[in-house]
Amino acid sequence: MARREITDKVPWDEAYRQVAYTVDALALAGQDGDEEVGALGTGLEVVLTGWEEIEQQRHGRLRELGRALALVKRRELQADAAVTALHNDALAHVKLNRKAPLFSQLFPDAQSVFERRPLEGLLPELRRMETVLTESETPAPLRGAHLHRIRRAITRGEEALREREEALGRESELTHRIINWRDEANAALRDTQEKLAAIAFDRRFGKEWVETYFPNSLSATA
């Protein structure tokens, strides 16, 4: 008899429906007086409970990751704005002379190069700008106007990247839980199928009787 299992191609909600079908089919048999068959649903009920626990956590993890990604985008935009403001003010201080030492230290590359970098690539440049702004040769007005903003962009950017890393870590843990749940579900389904097949043999029922306890959409493998 073909072995019933939930493959990794089965959507998460569909996986629940397939296991629930078998649990309900077994329970109905028990309610009709077939206690031997009805008792087989216990292991699969535990599997369903595990799915529900993961599902409750899954929505929270999705929101956490979405917020973390949105935060990185926002901090990236804010960092770009801080760089643009510093660029324009520094250029005015050196009277548009891009080869002036102050300007070339702050912007060794074109401003557009900085704006195309992701936040993790922009932070090292922001730290370098912070260092230049704190040097005694940097005009006090330029330092006063931009040092705090650059430092804030660094701090908030680092926090956003940490939050994203943590959210991705939790998402990875949840993915492993889902994989483990699928393995547990398949083990329970195989055990149930084998026990149903044994009952069918004893009662001289055909394999069609066993098949009634599994949904048509549940994959069958040799």
Side-chain angles (χ1 to χ4, degrees):
M1 182 183 298
R3 179 163 52 89
R4 297 287 181 162
E5 68 175 15
I6 298 171
T7 69
D8 56 4
K9 295 180 180 179
V10 176
W12 178 242
D13 289 342
E14 176 63 14
Y16 180 89
R17 190 194 71 79
Q18 291 180 1
V19 176
Y21 178 99
T22 300
V23 169
D24 292 336
L26 295 170
L28 289 170
Q31 291 170 15
D32 285 346
D34 194 337
E35 296 181 0
E36 184 180 15
V37 172
L40 298 181
T42 303
L44 287 172
E45 287 175 354
V46 174
V47 170
L48 286 184
T49 299
W51 186 97
E52 291 163 357
E53 292 173 353
I54 293 175
E55 176 67 2
Q56 185 177 13
Q57 190 179 59
R58 191 171 72 94
H59 288 286
R61 293 292 181 261
L62 288 172
R63 287 296 300 274
E64 288 174 1
L65 180 58
R67 182 192 182 282
L69 294 175
L71 181 62
V72 168
K73 286 285 187 182
R74 181 171 179 80
R75 296 300 182 244
E76 189 175 295
L77 183 66
Q78 292 168 336
D80 283 341
V83 169
T84 298
L86 175 58
H87 175 275
N88 295 340
D89 203 2
L91 195 58
H93 269 77
V94 298
K95 303 184 185 313
L96 305 183
N97 180 10
R98 297 177 183 273
K99 294 182 180 180
L102 172 62
F103 189 83
S104 61
Q105 288 176 29
L106 286 169
F107 295 95
D109 299 312
Q111 179 195 357
S112 59
V113 174
F114 295 107
E115 292 177 345
R116 290 196 299 268
R117 293 179 181 176
L119 184 58
E120 54 266 39
L122 189 55
L123 282 175
E125 299 301 328
L126 289 172
R127 296 186 188 102
R128 184 181 50 74
M129 293 174 188
E130 177 190 19
T131 299
V132 174
L133 287 172
T134 58
E135 292 176 352
S136 58
E137 294 82 1
T138 300
L142 190 67
R143 182 187 307 112
H146 298 280
L147 181 57
H148 174 73
R149 188 174 183 182
I150 292 295
R151 282 177 170 170
R152 189 180 187 209
I154 293 171
T155 300
R156 298 174 87 181
E158 291 171 341
E159 292 172 350
L161 291 179
R162 278 197 300 271
E163 183 170 329
R164 184 183 67 181
E165 182 179 0
E166 292 169 359
L168 287 170
R170 290 190 293 268
E171 179 74 5
S172 178
E173 291 174 2
L174 184 62
T175 298
H176 287 300
R177 283 194 65 189
I178 290 174
I179 293 172
N180 291 336
W181 177 88
R182 188 186 299 117
D183 291 341
E184 291 170 3
N186 285 328
L189 286 168
R190 286 193 298 271
D191 181 67
T192 301
Q193 185 178 11
E194 290 170 0
K195 289 177 178 177
L196 284 170
I199 293 172
F201 179 80
D202 291 340
R203 298 180 184 181
R204 298 185 179 181
F205 293 156
K207 66 178 183 179
E208 294 79 9
W209 179 82
V210 176
E211 296 298 320
T212 62
Y213 291 96
F214 299 94
N216 294 332
S217 57
L218 189 57
S219 300
T221 60

